[in-house]
Amino acid sequence: MAIYRQSHSFFIFIAFTIAGIHGSADRVLEDGYVVSTVLDGHKLKINPHSVLPRYGSSDFIILDSANSLFYTVSSLISQESEIKRFAGSKAGFCDGDSASAMFEGPRSFAIDLKGNVYVADQTNKAIRKITKKGVTTTIAGGYTLKPGRGDGPAQNASFSPDFELVFVPETCVLLVSDRGNQLIRQIDLKAEDCRRSPDSVLGGASLWVLLGLGVSCLVGFIVGIILRPYVIPHTGRLLHPPLQRDMEALPNSSGETSSEVLLRHQKRNC
């Protein structure tokens, strides 16, 4: 009986050891990363569902899905960041300016290169667009509250109540992951919405130009310091004597060199 208990305990120990080894082998912890909280929704009384950077701007867009609201926050996200309401007033379905627009249960959004926001307004089964100035319009679906899978112009398109959006700048399209219908849909956007704003392009170009000039000046300064001991003696001191000898060797109008003229004057003075 004692031998059986010992064997049983031994097998249990081996089983837990193998399980521990197997469990740790499935995880590889990589060092060098730090997690910090930069925004507390409890203090700000918002429920951040998702956040995305806006192209051509220093702002981030925050979606409060529970309250059907959108906010903007500066790129320097911290506990002291200023939060501004961008679009939405209460749950519903209404287009218009930032104060009158209404969404209901948005769960996903995307941002194009112009800074326009495209909203997957799931409960309304519509895709909405918010301009940089906060004006909301409907670009697809929403004309019937019934779910569907119809393609075509905006007024004919329909979606399931479960879909998300992704912006693809290379092809200037909005991809719709229509999970309820098990479909991937595509919306061709306007060409002007896929061009970067001039400010962002010029800002990036100016940064690279300034960086290039700074590197060039630094390299030139270093090269100048390195070559200075060799350039000054050969250019400032060693070139004058040969030049003086060449000038002395040149004859005047009577055929005498400058050295002969000087010697003749010295003899007269004597």
Side-chain angles (χ1 to χ4, degrees), residues 26-45:
D26 291 339
R27 296 189 301 271
V28 178
L29 181 61
E30 184 176 349
D31 295 332
Y33 297 93
V34 178
V35 178
S36 60
T37 300
V38 295
L39 189 145
D40 190 342
H42 295 283
K43 295 180 179 179
L44 300 172
K45 296 182 180 180

Side-chain angles (χ1 to χ4, degrees), residues 2 9 28 40 50 55 70 72 111 115 143 147 199 206 208 231 251 255 261:
S9 300
V28 178
D40 190 342
S50 56
Y55 293 101
F70 287 87
T72 59
I111 305 176
Y143 292 91
D199 294 339
S206 300
W208 284 108
V231 172
V261 173

